[in-house]
């Protein structure tokens, strides 16, 4: 095989080459996983519990707990925490279920969603989660800057005063972010050690706060003015301790204007700020690539962290209200709680105030680092999966220790861009919506896997159901739109845009698609409901089995039948001659993907059925018996015509790429000696004996009729140019529109000239197929022409025409009826002197003609015909071809009962349709039209 020969990749194949490739790939994958396992060092506590607690015990605890309870009051604060923890609890249950269903790799939530829902959802949600972590890191940096300014930006004696202002704030945030970047750049192991130290500080600070609530006597506190962010004016108030009056005054909400954004606060906006303290539940999942046992560590660590934070938040909020930290008069309370810098009250009443300050700085730095390293890990996982092509190629680079330093660098730069927002409350809503969208996707992933009923979805974590997943999704979506309907719509639209880009431009993955499992589940259910006993003629539709020998020579026919099926079943069948006992394995394992790639390239909606048989006839029988399921089985067999036309390779010079390459396309190939695919049947370079003889070909037709299948023979479709035919009716010349293509229908059995009717079952089936073709969207400009053969001067001519027009009206079929005199042709039929030509003995007598429900059933080939007569009929058809039709529908007689006459039968059908252009010879055996409602 030359170097240019395209190779299609398969999971199973009979060839040793691909088998060797699969083995090497599997060995490389195993080696990579083994290396990853050696680099993983973190357990439950250091890898999950501590990062999650620090992400949730963030700057929000110290800077926003007073803001929340002061604005919302006790009742609404409790409601906020219940809603927030309800959402995250449902999400945590889904995370635990997915994480315990198999081995996890780097990427956290992105890895779980992408492997559960497929690359489209996984990639789009992964980008959203990456952006959420980027914005979250910036949010915590801005919160830290706001916490530093009251301490170092206010004149205190002879201490140096930090300059204030927007650009100074940006500079301070940049410096703090750079410190986080240095820690994350060193690696996850150093980060884990740093977070442990920070965790000790934060826990100590929180413990001192709870102790101070009960030990510190009433004191006076100094409050900064809330009229402006940079104001240095002060006011005083008193801390009174436990008082019932304090609790009663703080039961209800008192929403005011946020001086940083000049926006009126509400339940939704305050919830958006508060919820940022609950978004750290994925911090442990983001470290999945650095955990020794992610499936063990993530469920236990995340649940423990959520429980601890819920208890801490609840107690802190309740005590803040009961102990009257906001102790002053009501107008002073309103002014105080709306202050974004009101963290200082925790320090003023603390047994050792510097401990609270240290806790604020530590928690803010830890949360910023957690989001930064989480964003880098997600970006690294996206780059490894190659969902965005070369756009993220650089992000794959890692250090010798395995740290993705390029991903850390890119994440750091994006966080720096977000810092230009300047205000914490400005981006709080955006961050919350991003996280809510990600949490909704995690619940959706678990719900989809549960609904798909896949046998391999067996999570060891049992505490979840589809009810918890659904409640989590609904909770996330409701809160997203309550916070900001505009941000919610924009984020969802952006995610859908990413989804479409990955779907059409991304590679085909080997992770599996949840959509396929869901479709299978639904299709199986509805196929069982599709009862053949309830079939009715008014719901009939063509369900076609097209027999293909060389697909590259039948592209025109395959696209035409795709139009003809009109939302019905379409199956491409191929028979390979051989015996399985003589082959080492299934010969179709290596070529089925090539057929599917051809279907994708032609943009047709068809299934592919391949079979192995000793003869073509037996192979077609197998296909007719086994194709389809339940009520979806082929009712019409389409065969190419048996003639001496040499097949043409319409894919010559092109390479068909398989799905394994990630694209379904056709590429140019300059080497004419190469085939389009080494696994598709090739078109022979020279004329070779046919795989079946004329008698066997007619036997295939007879077998299909015996099995109750309609039969269609397609001839000259190598001349059919679909684009040229369909676009001819859409062009304009000046102001005059060119007429659309014509579809010609000859409903009479032209090989039975002594028949006395036009409405037998076969004629109506032929007319129905032509009408179905005209009704398709691509052929809606086509015009139907119906040719009625009559004897000139016959008294029944007007009666027959009237009867036919009435029938077309009842059947709601619009067609031009043309009367065609054929006296001279019929006269040749009665000239039987000397028995000239090839004759077919009558199989039935004329008295066997019967009429059922007004529809005449005519015996097949009940006449003796001469070649001269058949050629005259052919000339008659050709003479009424102006303008040239796009396709013709002709009546195909049933094969004779005597098998010795098969060759003569095929010869007459050949003469009948010779040189007529694209033609369908149709034989129908089932009723397909009705005038009933």
């Amino acid at each position: 095989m030359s170097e240019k020969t395209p190779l299609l990749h398969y999971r199973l194949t009979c060839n040793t080459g691909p088998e060797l490739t699969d083995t090497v790939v599997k060995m490389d994958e195993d080696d990579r996983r083994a290396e990853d396992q050696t680099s993983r060092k973190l357990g439950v506590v250091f890898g999950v519990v501590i990062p999650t607690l620090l992400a949730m015990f963030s700057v929000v605890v110290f800077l926003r707990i007073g803001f929340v309870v002061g604005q919302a009051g006790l009742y609404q604060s409790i409601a906020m925490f219940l809603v927030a923890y309800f959402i995250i609890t449902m999400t945590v249950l889904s995370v635990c279920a997915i994480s315990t269903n198999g081995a996890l790799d780097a990427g956290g939530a992105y890895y779980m969603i992408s492997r559960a829902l497929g690359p489209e959802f996984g990639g789009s949600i992964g980008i959203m989660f990456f952006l959420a972590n980027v914005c979250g890191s910036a949010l915590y940096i801005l919160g830290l800057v706001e916490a530093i300014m009251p301490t170092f930006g206010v004149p205190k004696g002879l201490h140096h005063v930090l300059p204030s202002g927007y650009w100074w704030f940006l500079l301070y945030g940049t410096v703090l972010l750079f410190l986080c970047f240095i820690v994350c750049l060193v690696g996850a192991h150093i980060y884990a050690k740093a977070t442990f130290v920070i965790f000790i500080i934060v826990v100590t600070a929180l413990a001192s706060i709870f102790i101070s609530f009960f030990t510190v006597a009433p004191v006076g506190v100094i409050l900064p003015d809330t009229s402006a962010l940079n104001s240095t004016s002060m006011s005083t108030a008193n801390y009174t301790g436990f008082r019932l009056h304090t609790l009663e005054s703080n039961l209800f909400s008192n929403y005011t204007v946020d001086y940083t954004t000049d926006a009126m606060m509400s339940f939704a906006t305050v919830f958006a700020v508060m919820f940022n303290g609950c978004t750290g539940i994925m911090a442990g999942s983001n470290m999945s690539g650095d955990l020794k046992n992610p499936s063990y560590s993530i469920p236990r660590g995340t649940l423990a962290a959520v429980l601890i934070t819920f208890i801490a938040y609840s107690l802190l909020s309740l005590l803040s209200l009961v102990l009257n930290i906001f102790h002053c008069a009501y107008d002073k309370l309103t002014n105080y709680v709306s202050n974004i810098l009101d963290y200082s009250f925790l320090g003023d009443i603390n047994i050792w105030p510097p401990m609270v300050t240290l806790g604020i700085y530590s928690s803010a730095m830890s949360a910023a680092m957690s989001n930064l390293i989480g964003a880098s890990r997600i970006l690294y996982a996206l780059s490894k999966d190659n969902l965005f092509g070369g756009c993220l190629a650089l992000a794959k680079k890692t250090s010798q220790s395995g740290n993705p330093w390029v991903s850390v660098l890119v994440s750091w730069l994006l966080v720096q861009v977000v810092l230009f927002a300047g205000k914490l409350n400005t981006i709080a809503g955006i961050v919350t919506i991003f996280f809510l969208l990600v949490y909704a996707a995690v619940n959706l992933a678990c719900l989809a896997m549960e609904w798909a009923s896949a046998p391999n979805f067996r999570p060891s974590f049992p505490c979840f159901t589809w009810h918890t997943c659904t409640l989590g999704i609904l909770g996330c979506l409701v809160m997203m739109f309550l916070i900001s309907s505009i941000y919610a719509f924009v984020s969802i639209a952006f995610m859908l845009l990413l989804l479409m880009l990955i779907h059409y431009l991304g590679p085909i993955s080997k992770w599996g698609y949840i959509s396929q499992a869901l479709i299978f589940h639904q299709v199986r259910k509805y196929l069982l409901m599709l009862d053949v006993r309830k079939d009715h003629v008014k719901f009939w539709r063509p369900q076609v089995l097209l027999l293909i020998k060389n697909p590259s020579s039948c592209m025109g026919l395959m696209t035409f039948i795709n139009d003809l099926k009109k939302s019905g079943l379409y199956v491409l069948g191929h028979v390979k001659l051989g015996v399985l006992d003589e082959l080492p394995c299934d010969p179709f394992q290596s070529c089925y993907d090539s057929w599917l790639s051809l279907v994708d390239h032609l943009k047709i909606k068809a299934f592919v059925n391949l079979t192995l048989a000793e003869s073509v006839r037996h192979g077609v029988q197998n296909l007719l018996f086994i194709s389809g399921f339940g009520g979806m089985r082929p009712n019409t067999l389409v065969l190419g015509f048996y003639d001496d036309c040499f097949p043409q390779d319409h894919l010559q010079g092109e390479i068909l790429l398989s799905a394994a390459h990630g694209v379904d396309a056709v590429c140019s190939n300059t080497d004419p000696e190469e085939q389009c695919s080494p696994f598709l049947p090739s078109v022979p370079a020279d004329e070779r004996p046919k795989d079946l003889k004329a008698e066997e070909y007619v036997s295939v037709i007879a077998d299909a009729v015996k099995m109750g299948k309609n039969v269609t023979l397609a001839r000259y479709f190598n001349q059919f140019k679909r684009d040229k035919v369909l676009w001819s009716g859409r062009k304009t010349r000046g102001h005059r529109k060119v007429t659309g293509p014509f579809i010609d229908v000859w409903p009479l059995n032209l090989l039975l000239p002594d028949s006395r009717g036009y409405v037998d079952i076969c004629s109506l089936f032929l007319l129905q197929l032509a009408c179905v073709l005209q009704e398709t969207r691509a052929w809606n400009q086509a015009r139907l022409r119906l040719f009625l053969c009559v004897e000139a001067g016959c008294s029944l001519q007007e009666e027959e025409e009237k009867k036919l027009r009435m029938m077309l009206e009842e059947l709601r079929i619009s067609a031009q009826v043309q009367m065609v005199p054929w006296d001279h042709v019929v006269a040749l039929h009665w000239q039987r002197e000397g028995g000239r030509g090839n004759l077919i003995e009558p199989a039935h007598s004329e008295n066997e003609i019967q009429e059922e429900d007004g529809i005449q059933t005519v015996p097949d080939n009940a006449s003796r015909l001469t070649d001269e007569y058949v050629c005259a009929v052919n000339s008659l058809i050709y003479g009424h071809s102006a303008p040239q039709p796009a396709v013709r529908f002709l009546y195909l007689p049933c094969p004779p009962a005597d098998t010795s006459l098969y060759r003569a039968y095929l010869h007459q059908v050949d003469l009948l349709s010779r040189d007529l252009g694209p033609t369908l010879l149709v034989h129908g055996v089932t009723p397909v039209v009705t005038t009933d409602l």
Side-chain angles (χ1 to χ4, degrees), residues 73-85 267 271 274:
L74 177 63
Y75 294 150
Q76 292 195 19
S77 295
I78 294 175
M80 287 183 187
F81 280 107
L82 290 178
V83 171
Y85 272 86
F267 182 91
F271 178 85
M274 182 276 298

Side-chain angles (χ1 to χ4, degrees), residues 132-162:
N133 278 273
V134 167
C135 295
S137 181
L139 181 143
Y140 295 126
I141 291 294
L142 292 175
L144 180 57
V145 172
E146 292 178 359
I148 290 175
M149 292 307 298
T151 303
F152 298 98
V154 178
K156 291 186 178 180
L158 299 177
H159 290 287
H160 179 71
V161 178
L162 289 176

Side-chain angles (χ1 to χ4, degrees), residues 605-670:
K605 298 177 181 179
F607 299 95
V608 176
N609 268 3
L610 310 176
T611 187
L612 184 69
E614 296 181 357
S615 66
V616 174
R617 181 182 181 184
H618 289 158
V620 176
Q621 290 176 358
N622 294 338
L623 291 174
L624 289 174
F625 277 124
I626 67 175
S627 293
F629 290 95
M632 292 190 64
R633 291 185 179 276
N635 55 31
T636 303
L637 174 66
V638 180
L639 303 170
F641 197 79
Y642 191 92
D643 55 21
D644 296 329
C645 292
F646 187 75
Q648 301 175 358
D649 190 352
H650 297 287
L651 285 179
Q652 183 67 39
E654 295 177 328
I655 296 176
L656 188 66
L657 301 181
S658 77
H661 287 78
V663 290
D664 297 320
V666 173
C667 303
S668 176
N669 182 13
T670 57

Side-chain angles (χ1 to χ4, degrees), residues 275-288:
F275 191 78
N276 284 282
C278 308
T279 56
I281 60 173
M282 293 293 186
S285 301
N286 292 340
M287 301 293 293
S288 59

Side-chain angles (χ1 to χ4, degrees), residues 756-782:
R756 298 186 302 274
Y758 293 89
V759 287
D760 65 353
I761 291 178
C762 184
S763 298
L764 293 178
F765 178 80
L766 184 147
L767 186 61
Q768 176 79 334
L769 277 188
C771 182
V772 166
L773 178 64
Q774 184 191 28
E775 290 177 350
T776 58
R777 181 180 301 177
W779 290 78
N780 59 3
Q781 299 294 328

Side-chain angles (χ1 to χ4, degrees), residues 88 199 275 365 406 426 515 526 583 598 604 610 617 654 698 810 851 855 878:
I88 66 173
F199 175 74
F275 191 78
M365 286 292 289
V406 176
T426 303
S515 59
Y526 287 114
L583 299 173
L598 180 62
I604 61 178
L610 310 176
R617 181 182 181 184
E654 295 177 328
V698 180
E810 291 178 351
E851 188 168 313
I855 298 179
Y878 188 81

Side-chain angles (χ1 to χ4, degrees), residues 685-702:
D686 53 359
E687 188 172 354
R688 299 178 184 178
K690 296 180 180 295
D691 292 335
L692 75 165
K693 299 183 181 298
E695 292 82 358
E696 186 179 4
Y697 178 81
V698 180
S699 297
V700 170
I701 301 175

Side-chain angles (χ1 to χ4, degrees), residues 7 28 146 232 284 402 404 466 516 530 538 682 725 771-772 789 809:
L7 293 178
D28 293 341
E146 292 178 359
T232 59
W466 68 269
Q516 296 298 305
L530 191 60
K538 63 183 177 184
S682 60
V725 169
C771 182
V772 166
C789 296
E809 183 178 352

